[in-house]
Amino acid sequence: MASITSLGEFVVERQDDFKYAKGELSRLLSAIGLAARVVNREVNKAGLMEDILGDVGEENVQGEQQKKLDVYADEEFIRALKDRGEVCGLASEEREGVIEFKSGYAVSGQYVVAIDPLDGSSNIDVNVSIGTIFSIYRRTSKSGPATFDDFMQKGTEQVAAGYVIYGSSTMLVYTTGNGVNGFTLDPSIGAFFLSHPDMKIPKDGKIYSINEGNYARFPEGVKQYIKYCQVEDPATNRPYSSRYIGSAVADFHRNLIKGGIYIYPTTTSSPNGKLRLLYEANPFAFLMEQAGGVATDGFNRILDIQPTSLHQRTPLFMGSENMVKTSMDMMKEHTPVG
Ligand code: P6P
């Protein structure tokens, strides 16, 4: 039997890749792995527990209907990260402001985490893959609970980022800036094992992921790119296949493995796009660049955007290098200057 490496062993083996104290990343990732296992258990039996499905009956800070599993996942990740002492605060999609960890040694924690505890929640009640997305920064404040400014760092400053996908199997995929590695949960043991070492996205792909229901609201450059994807041209493997799950983690993961592009652009109804910079676009962009792909807002690199608020949105074009560059060329060609 080929030797198998657990997430814990891998982090220890590769801890020299992490530019800060050795055990800190290990404790951070093991906390995320623990919460992921707990959330996974609830996601996997959601259909059997009617009290965990459905809406809470309240809206989150985004004005979106909160699902019971959204709230559950939010609470589990906050609990797991608070107890480990490495984190002094969190920014969560489900909470309006910074979640300051004030008790015990959490205050001395050197890291802050931006998280989407459960992305794709409209898919929860219909048994479609959903995910957790996280982004980890070194705090900029000196001590005490996390501050707002600790989260106002460009994506280039991330020290680690990753996602958990609760799908046909549950995987944790992360980077610390030295490549992307994927771990699959063995539920019989309750541990993650290295299954996708050094993940790289193909430079070209045949899949485009976008909600074409918004076609009439798209910028002209996006409309032109969609038409480009649909042209019959065997020499360039077109027409491409349209694959859009409604959970960005699932679309990201499939495109990372097979090649492809995911686009959520500005629309007339979402002038800044839909995805959030801190806990969706930035972690996706860090992972995508580490896997040899590209992530932009249609014009500029996502990781270079200077955040100004916790829940700000950004247009997002991410995936195979050649596909994203073609879409950017069309955005440039069809966007009025000035
Ligand atoms: P729409 C989920 O709410 C999400 O943030 C992403 O995971 C997903 O790709 C997108 O929104 C779906 O949005 O407007 O196409 O339903």
Side-chain angles (χ1 to χ4, degrees):
M1 177 179 175
S3 71
I4 54 172
T5 305
S6 73
L7 173 62
E9 290 164 337
F10 184 87
V11 173
V12 170
E13 282 171 16
R14 300 284 291 270
Q15 62 188 351
D16 292 344
D17 293 347
F18 190 61
K19 58 185 177 184
Y20 297 105
K22 306 286 182 213
E24 291 175 351
L25 175 69
S26 172
R27 283 190 289 277
L28 271 169
L29 287 173
S30 94
I32 289 168
L34 171 64
R37 293 197 299 268
V38 172
V39 170
N40 178 65
R41 184 189 60 202
E42 293 307 303
V43 167
N44 283 348
K45 63 183 182 183
L48 295 173
M49 297 180 65
E50 69 287 345
D51 64 330
I52 196 73
L53 285 179
D55 295 344
V56 173
E58 292 171 17
E59 290 185 347
N60 64 12
V61 63
Q62 325 290 336
E64 296 164 346
Q65 267 308 313
Q66 271 188 320
K67 296 287 188 182
K68 291 174 184 171
L69 265 177
D70 281 324
V71 174
Y72 179 84
D74 182 57
E75 289 165 355
E76 280 309 314
F77 278 96
I78 291 172
R79 187 196 335 272
L81 289 165
K82 187 173 188 177
D83 293 349
R84 291 300 170 92
E86 299 302 341
V87 177
C88 60
L90 275 179
S92 167
E93 187 204 31
E94 300 301 330
R95 309 280 179 121
E96 183 157 6
V98 170
I99 304 159
E100 301 170 355
F101 290 168
K102 295 175 180 160
S103 60
Y105 48 74
V107 172
S108 60
Q110 292 306 306
Y111 300 90
V112 293
V113 179
I115 189 165
D116 185 353
L118 209 56
D119 176 66
S121 47
S122 60
N123 281 325
I124 290 175
D125 295 355
V126 293
N127 203 15
V128 170
S129 298
I130 50 182
T132 297
I133 315 162
F134 60 90
S135 169
I136 302 175
Y137 289 90
R138 191 87 174 168
R139 69 183 303 169
T140 53
S141 54
K142 293 292 174 244
S143 61
T147 66
F148 174 79
D149 286 344
D150 283 325
F151 294 91
M152 295 297 106
Q153 301 183 59
K154 290 182 179 181
T156 46
E157 299 309 302
Q158 293 174 92
V159 297
Y163 60 85
V164 181
I165 179 167
Y166 310 98
S168 49
S169 63
T170 294
M171 283 190 67
L172 188 152
V173 178
Y174 83 92
T175 183
T176 57
N178 293 278
V180 178
N181 291 283
F183 300 80
T184 299
L185 178 67
D186 179 338
S188 66
I189 302 177
F192 285 96
F193 291 94
L194 182 64
S195 54
H196 296 66
D198 196 22
M199 299 177 82
K200 294 293 180 192
I201 185 170
K203 293 297 180 193
D204 274 305
K206 299 189 287 186
I207 293 170
Y208 70 105
S209 307
I210 188 168
N211 184 342
E212 294 190 58
N214 292 325
Y215 185 86
R217 302 172 178 166
F218 286 153
E220 185 57 29
V222 171
K223 292 178 178 177
Q224 291 302 317
Y225 185 69
I226 291 173
K227 288 185 180 131
Y228 170 84
C229 293
Q230 295 171 345
V231 165
E232 190 83 38
D233 178 21
T236 55
N237 292 315
R238 291 181 290 155
Y240 296 151
S241 294
S242 174
R243 293 284 184 277
Y244 189 74
I245 297 172
S247 297
V249 170
D251 283 315
F252 181 98
H253 187 70
R254 182 206 52 246
N255 291 351
L256 172 62
I257 293 171
K258 294 192 167 190
I261 184 171
Y262 171 99
I263 301 177
Y264 207 109
T266 61
T267 68
T268 48
S269 53
S270 306
N272 297 312
K274 178 179 182 182
L275 271 70
R276 275 53 60 117
L277 178 62
L278 261 63
Y279 41 79
E280 290 174 324
N282 268 338
F284 280 146
F286 190 14
L287 287 157
M288 188 51 80
E289 290 195 3
Q290 283 293 310
V294 172
T296 79
D297 61 7
F299 303 98
N300 303 299
R301 190 182 179 219
I302 289 290
L303 295 181
D304 289 335
I305 296 173
Q306 175 55 55
T308 54
S309 68
L310 292 182
H311 302 291
Q312 74 185 71
R313 299 174 189 269
T314 176
L316 182 57
F317 296 60
M318 61 178 174
S320 295
E321 181 180 2
N322 296 340
M323 298 179 84
V324 175
K325 286 183 174 174
T326 301
S327 69
M328 291 174 71
D329 290 344
M330 294 188 179
M331 288 299 289
K332 189 173 182 180
E333 183 183 348
H334 296 280
T335 301
V337 176

